[in-house]
Amino acid sequence: MRMLVVDAFTARPFAGNPAAVCLLQDAADPAWMQRVAAEMKHSETAFVRPLDDAEAEFGLRWFTPMAEVALCGHATLASAHALYSTGTVAPGEPIRFRTLKSGVLTVTGDGDGGGDGGGTLSMDFPACSPEPVDVPEGLTEALGAEVRAAGRNTQNDLLAEVADEAAVRGLTPDIPAVARIDARGVIVTAPAAQGDDHDFVSRFFAPRVLPGDGEDPVTGSAHCALAPYWARRLGRDTMTGFQASARGGYVGVAVRGDRVVLSGSAVTVLGGELRA
């Protein structure tokens, strides 16, 4: 079966967030998918299969090297890009992904539909607005930066606002201490510095589900929380977020009631055949 490695939320190779995309023909055993994801070692591996009852509709599941997840933005973007760039779906035709826990996710493309010739992909996702909570004990110490406000969303992600963009970029968190925080992951955010080409900045740490240093390079699902949070703070429904990991990536966000439209580019860096 065909497999691609796609860098998402970037227009250039070796930036953004890489995802492996496995183009299945039929349903696969979840234990096998987990082993493939562990072998790939990307933050997410997506498994896409066509559905018999409609055109341009696909089943979609996401696995980290350690666990299956309920929602993943960058691997959804990568999956749509793979379907467009391989000619599986015609340019401009909307793609509907049916997921186990996040409903139906629709992706549309402009330009050549999000293939390797260029263009932007837009994804219709559920908003996951964080509700204000007290700053959890140990969070400031784990991050090494003062947390000014905190929130928790339905994905059990904590959002932690810190002083400014420099504080986000300069974080060197104590990853074992972050793993002890009661959360799937911690979204650290701040408003953008004056004059930047984005409106807010973030980083995402999830050592409970990601190996190594536990930092995800660019996290679409985190922006389902960041978009409504900053829409309230900034009084704007359409913004651009920059995730300031070492690879970095831009995520366009537009709040539409209880939905969020995430947009970005993607590029294929590797294509091959999975034989196991």
Side-chain angles (χ1 to χ4, degrees), residues 34-142:
Q34 186 63 75
R35 290 194 295 271
V36 172
E39 183 81 4
M40 293 301 102
K41 295 183 174 61
H42 294 297
S43 60
E44 302 284 349
T45 296
F47 297 86
V48 182
R49 68 179 180 92
L51 300 177
D52 296 333
D53 53 349
E55 294 185 2
E57 288 206 6
F58 298 84
L60 176 61
R61 295 175 74 166
W62 313 273
F63 289 77
T64 78
M66 301 165 66
E68 184 171 10
V69 298
L71 181 66
C72 179
H74 86 277
T76 302
L77 191 80
S79 297
H81 171 86
L83 292 171
Y84 285 127
S85 64
T86 59
T88 306
V89 177
E93 185 174 3
I95 299 171
R96 287 167 56 87
F97 290 116
R98 294 188 193 174
T99 70
L100 291 180
K101 297 183 179 180
S102 296
V104 176
L105 307 176
T106 302
V107 183
T108 57
D110 64 13
D112 70 343
D116 283 319
T120 300
L121 293 167
S122 296
M123 308 185 293
D124 179 14
F125 272 35
C128 296
S129 183
E131 295 297 325
V133 296
D134 293 335
V135 177
E137 183 178 353
L139 181 60
T140 290
E141 293 78 10

Side-chain angles (χ1 to χ4, degrees), residues 159-233:
L159 185 146
E161 183 180 347
V162 297
D164 52 29
E165 181 165 335
V168 174
R169 289 179 178 271
L171 286 175
T172 55
D174 180 343
I175 292 300
V178 173
R180 291 192 292 271
I181 300 295
D182 178 21
R184 181 192 73 142
V186 178
I187 307 163
V188 188
T189 188
Q194 189 172 1
D196 278 348
D197 58 355
H198 49 277
D199 300 290
F200 60 87
V201 65
S202 67
R203 289 171 70 183
F204 183 71
F205 302 96
R208 290 188 176 193
V209 296
L210 296 175
D213 65 3
E215 181 171 7
D216 195 36
V218 189
T219 314
S221 63
H223 285 77
C224 293
L226 289 162
Y229 182 82
W230 286 112
R232 291 193 299 267
R233 292 288 305 277

